[in-house]
Amino acid sequence: GDMSDLKQKILSAVEADLDDIEKALSDNLNPYLDLVSEVAGHILFSGGKRLRPLLMVLSARMCGYSGDYEKTFSTALEYLHTATLLHDDLVDEAAMRRGKTVAHKTWGNSITVLVGDYLLARALSISAGTGRLRVVQVLAELTENMSQGEVHQLMRKGDIELTEDEYMLVIRRKTAVLFEAACQVSAIIAEASEEKEKALAEFGYNLGIAFQMADDLFDYTLQTADFGKEVGADLREGKLTLPVIYALKQARPEDRDFMIKIIKDKDFVAEDFKTLVEMLEKYGGIAYTQKTAAAYIETAKAALSIFKPSPTRQTMLDIADYALARRV
């Protein structure tokens, strides 16, 4: 359908870039120990979308960057992202990631934490390689934000009082800032104008929020096989996301009590989960999340209007459309 056409359109436009990024990811990991690459590679090379490094490379190109460090630098974002996934899966006690057993189940917690630390440090070394203090600053702040977002989420684990505002704060820190940084640092590296840097930051930020909302929806709209992690995993981990927060707010008291019972039950069965999803539909939690995400995508796309039309800009706009309507 249209969706797979859009995906193909994007992929054919960025094929060469993705190949370069993939090569850079293995070339720049340079650990001293094979075990480090093995643990890092378990998640790093298990079919991630490479969206963040790709956005970085495309943004740099849109700013007219002509140096040769953008592919190398783009790996910093992916290492950082991988580090947070290794750590998050451990603290969330997740079972699956990208269709595979989580790393800490294979190598244990200690090694997994340390490899995550290594990847964070690697990201900073690569940033330092730009010779620009602001790039290091953006990446360090990003890492601060991401860890605090995860702490916040853990503190509120299983809390049915979680508000939409608080949810927004968490996804802002956990996801949006990573997309924002990916686009923003390109402008810094390309020595683009402040106006362009702001526009790219805004594009990345809004895209990131919508991307996370779409992800949160998948937990309630997809089958496990498509998803690469267990359906209902967010709920089992006590993560309340927007579809649930909104539906709880709208629900009649007896339905709300019923929903809370399922949310609080760590061992809910498939039948319960199906009922919950029906409630999310009935009370508009799913529609509301889709509508909200769509508004963020519109804002993201509008931010790129200061750039003159080009194939690269078109690919960025296509990615924004795809972020919303993708199926995984």
Side-chain angles (χ1 to χ4, degrees):
D2 293 348
M3 218 48 252
S4 51
D5 294 347
L6 183 57
K7 187 176 184 178
Q8 278 321 117
K9 182 185 172 197
I10 294 167
L11 286 175
S12 54
V14 300
E15 206 173 6
D17 291 321
L18 285 174
D19 287 346
D20 291 346
I21 289 168
E22 215 53 40
K23 185 179 180 319
L25 282 168
S26 53
D27 290 352
N28 292 301
L29 193 57
N30 34 342
Y32 170 64
L33 296 166
D34 290 343
L35 182 60
V36 174
S37 11
E38 197 186 333
V39 180
H42 175 73
I43 193 164
L44 190 57
F45 298 110
S46 66
K49 288 176 284 292
R50 307 297 184 228
L51 195 49
R52 297 148 197 88
L54 182 60
L55 284 168
M56 193 255 137
V57 169
L58 293 171
S59 300
R61 188 169 300 149
M62 212 164 54
C63 289
Y65 176 71
S66 55
D68 58 359
Y69 198 63
E70 86 281 26
K71 299 278 163 63
T72 298
F73 181 78
S74 80
T75 63
L77 296 154
E78 203 68 344
Y79 295 155
L80 179 65
H81 180 55
T82 303
T84 61
L85 297 181
L86 287 172
H87 288 167
D88 287 0
D89 284 344
L90 203 156
V91 297
D92 295 337
E93 296 168 15
M96 304 268 289
R97 163 80 63 182
R98 295 180 182 160
K100 296 168 80 169
T101 309
V102 288
H104 61 272
K105 288 267 181 283
T106 307
W107 290 281
N109 294 357
S110 311
I111 293 227
T112 305
V113 168
L114 295 169
V115 171
D117 291 345
Y118 173 77
L119 286 166
L120 288 175
R122 198 71 205 99
L124 281 172
S125 300
I126 289 166
S127 312
T130 61
R132 290 174 193 276
L133 199 53
R134 275 200 64 213
V135 170
V136 181
Q137 203 175 1
V138 168
L139 241 81
E141 271 175 30
L142 162 64
T143 312
E144 289 176 29
N145 264 311
M146 289 175 77
S147 28
Q148 293 194 78
E150 185 69 14
V151 169
H152 192 158
Q153 195 167 52
L154 275 171
M155 278 165 50
R156 308 292 270 143
K157 201 169 175 170
D159 192 340
I160 50 159
E161 302 299 318
L162 190 76
T163 63
E164 184 175 336
D165 285 348
E166 238 183 318
Y167 163 81
M168 290 305 298
L169 191 64
V170 167
I171 71 169
R172 214 172 272 153
R173 286 192 154 147
K174 272 194 62 181
T175 307
V177 289
L178 182 54
F179 282 81
E180 180 182 27
C183 298
Q184 187 186 2
V185 290
S186 317
I188 300 172
I189 289 173
E191 297 177 351
S193 67
E194 199 180 323
E195 186 195 17
K196 285 183 173 172
E197 185 186 326
K198 265 206 171 90
L200 281 168
E202 192 180 338
F203 173 80
Y205 174 82
N206 287 283
L207 175 66
I209 293 220
F211 187 87
Q212 186 58 56
M213 285 180 178
D215 241 30
D216 292 342
L217 273 171
F218 293 149
D219 212 43
Y220 299 101
T221 57
L222 280 185
Q223 303 305 309
T224 299
D226 304 325
F227 197 21
K229 69 176 194 185
E230 302 165 296
V231 164
D234 283 352
L235 204 56
R236 279 191 208 281
E237 289 166 20
K239 279 183 198 167
L240 260 64
T241 57
L242 193 54
V244 180
I245 292 168
Y246 184 83
L248 278 174
K249 206 169 67 184
Q250 305 298 321
R252 289 207 312 267
E254 62 275 23
D255 282 346
R256 187 172 188 269
D257 292 342
F258 184 73
M259 288 164 74
I260 290 170
K261 198 169 117 319
I262 297 175
I263 292 164
K264 289 209 173 281
D265 179 7
K266 282 282 162 278
D267 304 306
F268 60 80
V269 292
E271 206 44 54
D272 293 336
F273 189 69
K274 227 180 95 184
T275 313
L276 181 72
V277 171
E278 282 160 16
M279 296 269 175
L280 298 185
E281 276 165 1
K282 175 179 170 181
Y283 287 110
I286 288 178
Y288 176 75
T289 306
Q290 278 163 335
K291 197 184 87 197
T292 309
Y296 278 100
I297 288 296
E298 285 315 304
T299 307
K301 290 165 72 174
L304 294 187
S305 59
I306 68 155
F307 292 92
K308 56 181 193 297
S310 68
T312 306
R313 188 183 83 162
Q314 188 52 52
T315 301
M316 299 269 284
L317 295 170
D318 288 343
I319 288 173
D321 285 330
Y322 181 65
L324 197 57
R326 67 204 161 99
R327 286 288 160 264
V328 261

